[in-house]
Amino acid sequence: MPQPVTTVVPFASLPSCAAQCGPLYDANGACVPPAAPQSNEVTYDNCFCAYDTLQPFKQGASGVCDAPCAADPAGLSSIQSWFTSFCNEAAAATTTSTSATSSSTSSANTAGSSDGGGGDWLSTHWKWVIMIVIIVVGIAGIWVGACIWRRKYLKKKDRMYELGKGLPSTVAVNTQGNLVGPGARDSNYSNAQGMFMSGSGAGYAEKPKKERKKWTVTQRT
């Protein structure tokens, strides 16, 4: 009969009567190759701890190796203590391995989902696209508004400059088109409709023509 390639039970470190305990050998041989499929150590350990003939060890020292260890009760208790400790560690290793496997599977599924949605870039970045569009439109609106305001300002400034021509240095035109300054109330500059505003009577009043006096020669010298 082929011998198992893996030994679960550390016979060398257990009491000598363990080497005469048939259920330990049976469980070890049934849970490792060639009797069991090739697998990892955690699988072998769990199989060993679940073997039917070893289950009495979970309740106490009796029921498994009673005959071989009849002359060594302390050795039998030591074997049972090792079995309990060994199976507790195997259960903890199984929990850790299961958690690691679940995490790996979850990560793989997440990565697969991300790769599957790689072509639909817009669906995952639409907020950024909207923000960029709003910023661009806002900057364009500010620029257009600034250009319109500047044109109106320059036009108004040119108009005020034209209206201010010919006025004394003490008189100026304010933003409402009215004359301001020490001489603004002078009748020559203020309240003259034809001076700064259009309408009936616009323009300066025409000065009367001077009549030329005729020179008559009355006598010769």
Side-chain angles (χ1 to χ4, degrees):
M1 177 180 179
Q3 296 297 316
V5 297
T6 301
T7 301
V8 177
V9 183
F11 291 103
S13 61
L14 293 176
S16 58
C17 65
Q20 306 301 321
C21 183
L24 292 179
Y25 277 102
D26 293 341
N28 187 100
C31 292
V32 297
Q38 189 73 30
S39 185
N40 53 40
E41 184 177 352
V42 175
T43 302
Y44 301 150
D45 294 347
N46 287 328
C47 174
F48 178 83
C49 292
Y51 199 74
D52 293 339
T53 57
L54 301 181
Q55 297 311 300
F57 269 159
K58 294 182 179 180
Q59 306 297 328
S62 61
V64 180
C65 299
D66 295 349
C69 297
D72 187 8
L76 182 60
S77 296
S78 178
I79 295 172
Q80 190 268 338
S81 296
W82 167 83
F83 178 83
T84 302
S85 176
F86 175 82
C87 291
N88 288 338
E89 292 178 0
T94 301
T95 303
T96 303
S97 177
T98 303
S99 300
T101 303
S102 299
S103 299
S104 300
T105 303
S106 178
S107 301
N109 291 337
T110 302
S113 299
S114 300
D115 294 340
D120 194 6
W121 180 87
L122 186 60
S123 63
T124 57
H125 298 80
W126 62 270
K127 292 183 179 179
W128 289 96
V129 174
I130 292 177
M131 184 181 69
I132 293 174
V133 171
I134 291 175
I135 292 175
V136 172
V137 172
I139 292 175
I142 293 173
W143 184 80
V144 172
C147 291
I148 294 174
W149 177 85
R150 185 173 181 276
R151 289 184 62 184
K152 289 185 177 180
Y153 171 77
L154 294 177
K155 188 175 181 180
K156 187 175 183 179
K157 186 176 180 182
D158 292 342
R159 180 174 175 274
M160 291 175 63
Y161 175 76
E162 292 294 333
L163 292 175
K165 284 184 177 181
L167 295 177
S169 60
T170 58
V171 179
V173 182
N174 63 11
T175 56
Q176 285 74 32
N178 299 323
L179 298 178
V180 293
R185 295 186 178 276
D186 193 327
S187 61
N188 292 330
Y189 301 105
S190 63
N191 299 327
Q193 181 182 9
M195 188 171 185
F196 297 105
M197 294 179 290
S198 61
S200 59
Y204 294 102
E206 295 182 359
K207 296 181 179 181
K209 296 181 180 181
K210 294 182 179 181
E211 294 183 0
R212 292 184 180 181
K213 293 183 179 181
K214 295 181 179 181
W215 179 55
T216 306
V217 179
T218 56
Q219 60 181 2
R220 295 182 180 178
T221 56

